[in-house]
Amino acid sequence: MKILLTNDDGYSAEGIISLALALADEHDVYVSAPATEKSGAGHALTFNRTLCWTQVSPAEMLLKNAAGRDNPFHAVHGSPADAVKFALEYIYRGEKFDLVISGINSVLNVGSDIIYSGTFGAAEEGSVLGVPGIAVSTVAADGGYELAARFVKENLNALYAATSPYVTVNVN
């Protein structure tokens, strides 16, 4: 499966690295995440300035795909939704992604929190652009990232089956 990973905590956050490492041995993982932490950004998009991005060395992130090749990794200087939109329409234009996964967020996104969640907003941007999205959140204490990453890896087919283009699944 070809997966675009993103988040709202920034490209070097423990949650996205845990998820990337869990998925990269079986899937083609591409990363486009905010350059800095953008929690609470909701589904904000940038219109009043030019977006810039930085290609991050996959070796720096210790990330290889199933074939042993470096996975593409980009830090976008914008919101979480910007990172997804910019990746799908510019950085990886022409690539056909099966799924956008956002997270792993360090707190749960439940109830009205989902309105403000940059994690959910990023996954939803994929869905708006026709690529099914999954937002993943956990309580990060006591190994929460590893548990959530393992859950996603072990249940990816079932989670994917619950999506379709223009649908976003929220996993807590």
Side-chain angles (χ1 to χ4, degrees), residues 106-163:
S106 62
V107 296
L108 301 181
N109 283 312
V110 295
S112 62
D113 291 351
I114 201 167
I115 296 167
Y116 307 105
S117 169
T119 302
F120 187 82
E124 189 175 43
E125 182 63 24
S127 297
V128 166
L129 297 173
V131 181
I134 299 173
V136 182
S137 302
T138 190
V139 176
D142 299 324
Y145 291 122
E146 290 75 26
L147 177 63
R150 189 170 60 248
F151 176 85
V152 172
K153 179 179 180 175
E154 292 173 359
N155 294 283
L156 187 61
N157 289 334
L159 291 168
Y160 182 66
T163 69

Side-chain angles (χ1 to χ4, degrees), residues 5-61:
L5 288 185
T6 193
N7 69 3
D8 70 352
D9 294 320
Y11 76 93
S12 62
E14 185 179 349
I16 197 169
I17 300 301
S18 296
L19 188 55
L21 291 171
L23 296 174
D25 60 344
E26 297 176 13
H27 303 280
D28 288 327
V29 174
Y30 294 65
V31 177
S32 178
T36 60
E37 191 268 335
K38 298 287 185 184
S39 294
H43 200 134
L45 290 173
T46 300
F47 294 106
N48 58 353
R49 64 178 174 82
T50 302
L51 285 177
C52 300
W53 85 99
T54 304
Q55 184 165 358
V56 178
S57 166
E60 175 186 337
M61 307 317 292

Side-chain angles (χ1 to χ4, degrees), residues 3 70 89:
I3 301 169
D70 289 336
E89 294 183 349

Side-chain angles (χ1 to χ4, degrees), residues 78-96:
S79 72
D82 285 334
V84 173
K85 186 173 184 64
F86 199 63
L88 294 176
E89 294 183 349
Y90 185 75
I91 298 172
Y92 306 126
R93 182 181 44 216
E95 296 285 347
K96 169 99 173 80

